[in-house]
Amino acid sequence: MFVSSAGFADEPRVLVLNDVNEPPLTTPEHTGFLDVIAIEAFRRIGVELRLVKLPAERALLLANDGLRDGDLTRIAGIEQQYPNLVRVPEKLIDWDFSAFSKDASIPANYETIRRHSVGHIKGWKLYEQNMAGAVQVITVDDPEQLFRLLDHDRIDVALYARWMGLAFIRKHALKNIRLLEPPLASRAMYIYLNKRHTELVPGLVQALRALKREGFYQRVHQQKLMPYDKAGGR
């Protein structure tokens, strides 16, 4: 019994975070950019990270209710609506919130896009706020539904994230769909933990800063994301 107890004591603490990302940010094999960065950051504080795919809105509700340990990527300020979540105040990544369309002449700004039929994924708060008053807004559960609407001319513009959109277009060989430039918004994205894990926040901040200081973060960024940048990087 004493040997068994010691063995269990040596096992790392496990946290389960919700993940609303897609390749190349996270992948089913956990080889995406954020997989590598977040798993290593948690490993350095003695925690095993497990990521579970969930729809965006449900993910927030479960994390806030404590049925999950947190959420991998959210914009700052989400805790105002979900008070049981605590932000790790060292950004995980900058997200370019971007528009995609078959019509490359559409200006990439909210004012113009609101005059078109638009689709976005449920639970993406930035798009929910900025699409108020749009001519037509369709919300969907996942990028497959979103880009199917665009490909079949059910909407004029799909609102998504730059890296994930470019990867989806390449994977599915959607030759007529273009990324509209510039991004509609760029936002720092942060890890959020349920407040019962607040004591882990300082260690995660230091681990993420160390990954950047050591060049680990930059090397993984170059390897995992730059191949999808049609301009060869920026």
Side-chain angles (χ1 to χ4, degrees), residues 158-175:
L159 303 180
Y160 198 38
R162 176 188 176 90
W163 295 116
M164 295 189 293
L166 290 174
F168 189 94
I169 289 169
R170 177 184 290 188
K171 177 181 178 181
H172 296 277
L174 301 176
K175 299 185 183 302

Side-chain angles (χ1 to χ4, degrees), residues 83-94:
N84 292 329
L85 298 182
V86 178
R87 181 167 61 98
V88 178
E90 176 67 24
K91 73 177 179 181
L92 190 59
I93 190 174
D94 285 317

